[in-house]
Structures are given as C-alpha cells and as structure tokens.
Amino acid sequence: MQATKSFEQAFLRHLLRGFRLSAVSYKSMSLQERKSAIKLSADVAMASARGSRKWTRGLITKLSREDEHRSFLRLILGTEYGRRTKPRHGSWKIPRSKKIVRRSLRVCSRRKNNLRAPHGVKSGVLARTLVEKRTHALKRLVPGGESLDGCSLLDEALDYVISLRAQVDLMQKLLTTFEAPKLRALSKCTLPERKASFVGK
Amino acid sequence: MEPGGSSGVGSGNSGTYTPEIAESLRFEEEIQSLIHQSFDGSSAAGGSFTALLGLPANQAVELLHHPGPGEPPASAASSSPTAGDLWRLRLGEHHAATDALRLPFGGSSTFVERAARFSVFATDDSPASSSGGGLSPGLKAEPPDSDSPPTLPAPAGRPRRPSKRKECEKSKAKAVAKKSKSAEENTSAVKPAAEENTSGDKLPYVHVRARRGQATDSHSLAERARREKINARMKLLQDLVPGCSKITGTALVLDEIINHVQSLQRQVEFLSMKLAAVNPRIDFSGLDHILSAECGPLAVGSGCGGGASGTAMWASDTAASTGGIRRMPPPQQIWHLDLVHPQQSSTVWENNGAAHPHFLLSPAISLVGYDPAGSVPLNSNQLKMEL
C-alpha cells in the first residue's frame, strides 16, 4: 500500500504553508524550538492532508490542547479548525444495548467455561492478555486510539502507518534538497584547486 | 524505489511529451499556483516534482484516473474530498494480495469485501471502514475513484463493490460496529454461495456463511465474523510492515506493528531535528515576494523546462530566499542545474537554459542559504571557478 500522489502533494502544500507561517520567528528560536515548530507543522500538514479520519482528529485535538499551538492550527486549518477539533458526539462510543451485551457476555462465559473445563489449559487466557497488552500499547501510540475498538483500531493503525511513512519520505526528500547543494558546493570547491595544481605540474 | 523512480521519470522527460508528463504537468501547475499565489498557472510542469516524489512510471498512469486537485490554497476543505481517495495499491501488489487473500478464506464474503476494500481504498471506503463513525459528507465525493475500483476487483470475478456499499449502508443504518447477519443463514451446509452479492446497492445485512461443523447460533456467527474482520486487517498490516509476513500469531505481529510505528515516529523527530539544524540560514519570510517578482515575466515552454522549473519552484519555495536576492548572472544557472536536484539529468535542463535563468537562480542561491550581505560575491566567485 502506498500513499497517493494527491496526498503527498496536499501534504507538501500544507507543510510549506506551515513553514512559511512559522518562519517569522525563526531567527530568535533555539534549536529545540525550531525542531518542535517543524514537527508541529509536519504533523498538522499530515493530518490536514489526510482529511477526516479518527486518528487525524485525535492528532489535531491533541495538538490543540496546548495553547501555543492553537493559533498556529487556526491559521493553517482556517475554517477546518472548528470542524476538526469539535469532539464528535462526545468521545465517539459505539452505541451498545446493555441487555444484548449482558446476554452475550453470559453466553460467552458459559461457553468458555464449558470448553475450559475439559482442557484445563490457560493458554487461551495467556494469549489474550498478551494481545490485550499490545492492543493497549497500540492504542496509546495511534492518536485518538483510546476509544476505538479492536478492528477500527487496526484500521486507523494501518492508515496512520501509511501516512507516517509518507511523512518520513517527504521530510527526507526535503532534507536532501536542502543539503545536496551544500554538499555539491563543497565538493566542487575542491575541484578547481585540484585542476590548478594539475596545470601547474 | 526513489532513485529508480526518479531516474525513470528523468529519462522520460528527456524525450517527448508522454502521458505521464502531461499528468505531472497538471500537478505541477497546481503546486505552483498554490505555492506562488500570484502566479498565473501558465507554467508547464515536468517530471521533476514527481521525480522528487519518487513517482514510478506505473503509478503515473494511475494518476490519469485521478484528476488532480486544483483547489486554491485557501480552501483546505476542498482538499479533503480530493485527498479522500488516498490509498492505491500498486497493480501488481494488488493482484498478489487478492490472490493470497482469496485462498484460505473461501467462505467468507465479508473478508473478501474487506480485502478488496483495503486493496483499493476508494473514498467511499473510508466511511465504511470507520464503522459508522464520523461520516463526513466531504468524504463521499468520490467521482474519480468510482471508475478504477470496479475495474480492479472485476478481474477477481466478484462484485465486491455492492457488498462494500451494503456494508457501509449497514453500518450507517445500524450504527453498530458489530456484525449483523441475516436470519436465514443459520443453516450451514446447503446454501447458495453467500459470496454472491446481490446487485442491489443498499442491503442492510451482510451475509456470512457458517462453515460446516461449526456452531450456527447468532453469537458465534457474530464472533466469527468479527474475528475474520480482525484477521483480515491483521493480514493487511502484516503486508505493510516489513518483515512481518513470516510471523505467526497475533501478539507477535502486534509487537512488530508497534515497533514499526514507534520507529517511524522517532524518525520523524530525528528528521525534524535535522531540518531545524539546516534551517537557521533559511528565511521563509521573503518567499512570496521574491517568487512573484521572479516568476512573472517568465514564459515557461516545454515539459523539460517545466521539469526544471517545477523542482526549482518547489525548492525555492522551501528554501525561500533571503530578501536581497533578485537577479542572478546567467553563469550561475548551470551550477544551479546540478545543484537543485542531483538526480535530474543535466542535459534536460541545459536544453532549456535560456528560458529560465532568473527563475532558477534565486532558488539556487537561496538553497545555499547564505547571508545576502556577505557571501554573494563569494558564491559568484565559486561559481565562476566551477564553470
């Protein structure tokens, strides 16, 4: 799976806009501040380029919790800001009927008890706790993942991984575009000296 | 992937107009019009930007299906519907994936739907996959993708789209993440292929076939459907994360996924640190001003020149120029050709040198990122030495 070109282009557009907006105070910032500003604009660009997904909303909400980022976010997103950060339907919980849930739990536990007694092996429980632990870890990693259930969590994780990869690619390309001329200039500077020495000989 | 892709496009650029170039031309126009808001989109684009993005030839063909987003920079809202059709599986990968996925799960239509949906991630998938969550109306705009997905699953011989819509409708109607099944399918053995999806678009139920010898009560069916859903997604994630295909077992795969996400996040931090280290000499404030001044009088002609200008514009935008740089002597131009994008073939750019001296040069200088006051004479000396 790969991110489409339109996504990368939208991403780049937003990133450049974010750089431009945040560059006003660049000279006065320390390295750490610049780095967090760059990371912020990169994250916002990724979230806004992706559109409306659970993780994008979670990410924007998380970023807008800090006051200093809010003005930046408002500038970048413009009209989108209100739409994205308003919590949708309160933290979106999948509506469940209590009666049905209780009934299914009863059936499930009954079935598990019937199956467990003959085997007497707790491997299933062990496996389940392992998976649960990792699911919780994944929930913490994916923005906005706390309130998701198992399969939508995997959905969002998939999406998030693709966008993260695209982000890393884009930033690497940016970096090479910045640094390539300097490296070439350095290498080319040495050439004429060599030529001169050659001619001299 | 990147060097190969860019070299491929670069070689394509040196020739005549190809469909890829036309497509990238359009994209370049959009990008430029966005970056330089005062710029009349008369400039042709080229493969350089796409090369920068690492666009391999086969994906460029895919772009033909998708008219590029031409929205103005102000409306970010419009970017979401066009950005909605984001994920495209490469054609080769798609076939392999569906072949692999089709085999073990002969019975379940829902799994097949999901596989297809992940393979071709059209905009109307996102409402379905978000399980009745935020169905923003913007995501429903999917005109460009309505063509391509049916063609891709068609070779598989299964009408998956109706089932996807069915699923979507179901999740919308019920607003329940759990599986719903029709009442009739409690009979396991003899049932016409449940994979045959009706041609109707809006069926509320998903038909899940109960396998032979398995419990057929509604709870177990629901559980099984849910498990298959999760297994389908796990498989996709396994394909995505490198080195995960050999691992069996949910916990270990989840481990790998978590490690992968953590490493990607750390990479982003590291790259942003590096960019911050590069940046202090680059000032973005004078960007628009410079570029509008530079780009106005330019008449960009062929695609090759567009390639140079594309990258140059991109680079100039990011590198931004310091306020004092306006006009560059022509000798610096060739230096810039090597500079901005090392992967580009220099022949391409030299052909169109005459057209874009001013345009390329300010980005060239700005890329170096030096102070206008002191180093301009120094740089020009260096350049003359190189030439």
Side-chain angles (χ1 to χ4, degrees), chain A residues 1-2 4 9 12-13 16 20 23 34-35 49-50 54 80 134 151 155 158-160 165 173 181 188, chain B residues 27 34 52-53 59 77 83 86-87 118 129-130 233 240 251 255 265 269 276 314 317-318 338-339:
Chain A
M1 285 215 177
Q2 265 204 329
T4 52
Q9 285 161 8
L12 188 61
R13 236 179 289 137
L16 298 176
R20 238 180 291 155
R34 248 182 285 129
K35 169 208 147 206
R50 185 61 184 93
K54 292 223 173 72
E80 295 278 306
R134 283 152 176 84
C151 31
D155 259 343
L158 185 74
D159 217 42
Y160 187 53
R165 223 182 251 181
K173 282 171 184 158
K188 292 209 167 178
Chain B
F27 282 126
L34 286 165
L52 195 66
L53 293 179
Q59 279 197 338
L86 288 180
W87 311 134
F118 274 102
S129 61
S130 49
R233 303 206 180 156
L240 192 68
D255 245 354
Q265 285 175 339
E269 292 246 3
W314 181 86
D317 185 63
T318 59
D338 290 335
L339 263 187

Side-chain angles (χ1 to χ4, degrees), chain B residues 49-60:
Chain B
F49 186 83
T50 54
L52 195 66
L53 293 179
L55 174 70
N58 59 350
Q59 279 197 338

Side-chain angles (χ1 to χ4, degrees), chain B residues 56-125:
Chain B
N58 59 350
Q59 279 197 338
V61 175
E62 270 188 48
L63 292 174
L64 288 173
H65 295 298
H66 170 63
E71 68 272 23
S75 64
S78 57
S79 69
S80 43
T82 51
D85 58 309
L86 288 180
W87 311 134
R88 288 189 191 263
L89 194 62
R90 284 196 219 196
L91 297 177
E93 282 174 278
H94 165 79
H95 288 308
T98 48
D99 284 336
L101 293 171
R102 224 184 292 152
L103 297 170
F105 297 88
S108 166
S109 60
T110 58
F111 167 76
V112 157
E113 292 158 13
R114 287 279 172 5
R117 189 179 51 208
F118 274 102
S119 306
V120 188
F121 207 110
T123 45
D124 63 350
D125 289 336

Side-chain angles (χ1 to χ4, degrees), chain A residues 76-188:
Chain A
I76 293 273
L77 300 174
T79 52
E80 295 278 306
Y81 181 69
R83 199 176 359 135
R84 298 277 174 90
T85 56
K86 136 184 96 141
R88 294 184 86 93
H89 311 279
S91 59
W92 177 260
K93 283 211 153 82
I94 300 146
R96 294 187 173 101
S97 156
K98 280 195 183 161
K99 225 193 322 183
I100 295 178
V101 171
R102 238 180 286 144
R103 200 193 310 154
S104 71
L105 279 174
R106 219 183 305 140
V107 171
C108 287
S109 58
R110 205 181 303 146
R111 208 169 344 118
K112 275 179 219 154
N113 286 333
N114 292 336
L115 289 174
R116 210 182 292 164
H119 296 290
V121 177
K122 307 284 181 184
S123 61
V125 182
L126 178 66
R128 212 175 306 128
T129 35
L130 286 178
V131 170
E132 270 174 21
K133 276 211 166 133
R134 283 152 176 84
T135 318
H136 285 306
L138 191 61
K139 280 187 180 178
R140 258 178 268 131
L141 276 181
V142 173
E146 299 282 341
S147 55
L148 295 175
D149 71 323
C151 31
S152 42
L153 176 69
L154 291 177
D155 259 343
E156 299 296 318
L158 185 74
D159 217 42
Y160 187 53
V161 165
I162 297 179
S163 333
L164 270 184
R165 223 182 251 181
Q167 187 183 29
V168 166
D169 276 341
L170 210 90
M171 289 176 81
Q172 270 173 345
K173 282 171 184 158
L174 259 184
L175 205 61
T176 53
T177 316
F178 276 134
E179 297 199 327
K182 269 185 257 167
L183 294 172
R184 282 185 161 260
L186 282 173
S187 64
K188 292 209 167 178

Side-chain angles (χ1 to χ4, degrees), chain B residues 207-282:
Chain B
H207 294 261
V208 179
R209 183 184 224 164
R211 292 202 201 105
R212 194 182 158 77
Q214 290 193 339
T216 58
D217 60 317
S218 56
H219 288 291
S220 59
L221 274 174
E223 252 192 55
R224 190 175 334 123
R226 190 180 139 268
R227 250 182 290 137
E228 284 177 355
K229 219 167 125 180
I230 290 187
N231 284 339
R233 303 206 180 156
M234 290 290 293
K235 245 198 152 36
L236 286 164
L237 276 167
Q238 261 186 312
D239 294 333
L240 192 68
V241 176
C244 227
S245 35
K246 301 171 198 137
I247 302 181
T248 48
T250 315
L252 296 170
V253 170
L254 279 177
D255 245 354
E256 286 301 312
I257 294 168
I258 288 171
N259 285 337
H260 192 55
V261 169
Q262 276 174 339
S263 78
L264 282 174
Q265 285 175 339
R266 261 182 269 132
Q267 266 184 312
V268 168
E269 292 246 3
F270 179 67
L271 281 171
S272 66
M273 174 81 76
K274 283 190 96 173
L275 277 172
V278 165
N279 259 348
R281 297 185 284 160
I282 293 168

